[in-house]
Amino acid sequence: MSDVPDSVALDQFVAVRLEETRSETLDHIGNEVTALFSEFRGRILRYLICLGLSVQDSEEVVQEVFLLLYQHLRENRARTNLRGWLFRVAHNLGLKKRMGTLRTNGQDSEYFLLATDAAPSPEEQVLMKQQQKRLSAVLGALPEQDRSCLYLRAEGLRYREIAEVLSISLGSVAQSLARAVKRLNHVYQQ
């Protein structure tokens, strides 16, 4: 009979210890997700805007990406190349969001026309705006794969990571980037 209380006490001790361990693990995962959010939020947001989403839709997708990351890590799934994982999930969710959202007023090009410098002279401002319009037109005319490769490369992803995010070959990434850069160079040579 003396074994019963000891057994119950042991079971309670084990249950409490398991809960403490689980709580510590969740705290660690929360801290890791928070750190990744701080590091990649802006980059992913820019990428989603470049995909053609509004700022508000992009913010929603970013939140969903990091919720999915938390679940991914909580379920003890692979931690290799989390940067690539984040951009792949953002890309897929962004495309889904874009397909479900009507685009109006040419908002795709709006993002590229926002950055104007107030210091240049009026003539320089006109020239810069013309160049930005040409750049925006060239970017808008690029095939979606070329544009996505370019944006992901601008965010610092390596060719292999871009290939994984877009589910294409390394050769396709290289060709897409070469075409995109060639067309963009043409804008600056005019």
Side-chain angles (χ1 to χ4, degrees):
M1 200 133 177
S2 65
D3 286 350
V4 174
D6 289 337
S7 175
V8 170
L10 181 60
D11 288 345
Q12 288 176 347
F13 173 77
V14 168
V16 167
R17 204 51 210 130
L18 284 173
E19 185 58 36
E20 288 173 354
T21 302
R22 183 174 180 269
S23 178
E24 289 170 7
T25 301
L26 292 179
D27 286 347
H28 175 71
I29 290 170
N31 291 339
E32 186 176 4
V33 170
T34 300
L36 289 167
F37 180 83
S38 296
E39 183 177 353
F40 290 105
R41 178 197 169 275
R43 293 175 180 181
I44 293 171
L45 186 64
R46 281 190 304 271
Y47 176 67
L48 292 167
I49 290 169
C50 289
L51 275 181
L53 294 176
S54 68
V55 174
Q56 181 180 357
D57 287 344
S58 297
E59 288 282 0
E60 289 176 17
V61 171
V62 167
Q63 289 175 9
E64 193 171 345
V65 166
F66 284 95
L67 283 173
L68 290 171
L69 175 63
Y70 181 80
Q71 291 172 349
H72 177 85
L73 296 176
R74 194 181 71 207
E75 293 169 2
N76 238 1
R77 293 189 181 163
R79 293 173 172 270
T80 56
N81 194 13
L82 286 178
R83 176 174 70 168
W85 186 95
L86 288 168
F87 277 95
R88 180 178 181 88
V89 171
H91 175 79
N92 292 339
L93 291 175
L95 290 179
K96 284 181 184 177
K97 185 74 160 182
R98 190 176 72 186
M99 292 301 161
T101 305
L102 294 175
R103 305 294 300 149
T104 57
N105 299 332
Q107 287 178 318
D108 288 348
S109 61
E110 193 175 87
Y111 175 75
F112 298 103
L113 298 176
L114 291 177
T116 56
D117 187 9
S121 70
E123 294 84 13
E124 290 172 329
Q125 288 180 1
V126 168
L127 290 174
M128 286 173 49
K129 283 189 177 193
Q130 288 174 347
Q131 189 174 46
Q132 284 178 336
K133 285 182 182 180
R134 285 193 313 267
L135 177 62
S136 181
V138 168
L139 286 170
L142 287 175
E144 185 169 341
Q145 179 176 308
D146 293 3
R147 197 171 40 237
S148 293
C149 286
L150 188 65
Y151 294 150
L152 289 168
R153 185 68 181 136
E155 290 301 332
L157 273 72
R158 290 172 277 156
Y159 281 36
R160 186 172 310 283
E161 293 171 320
I162 294 169
E164 289 174 12
V165 168
L166 300 177
S167 299
I168 59 176
S169 70
L170 281 172
S172 293
V173 171
Q175 288 175 347
S176 290
L177 286 171
R179 277 192 305 264
V181 169
K182 183 178 179 181
R183 289 182 181 172
L184 291 174
N185 280 335
H186 184 66
V187 170
Y188 288 106
Q189 292 173 356
Q190 291 181 348

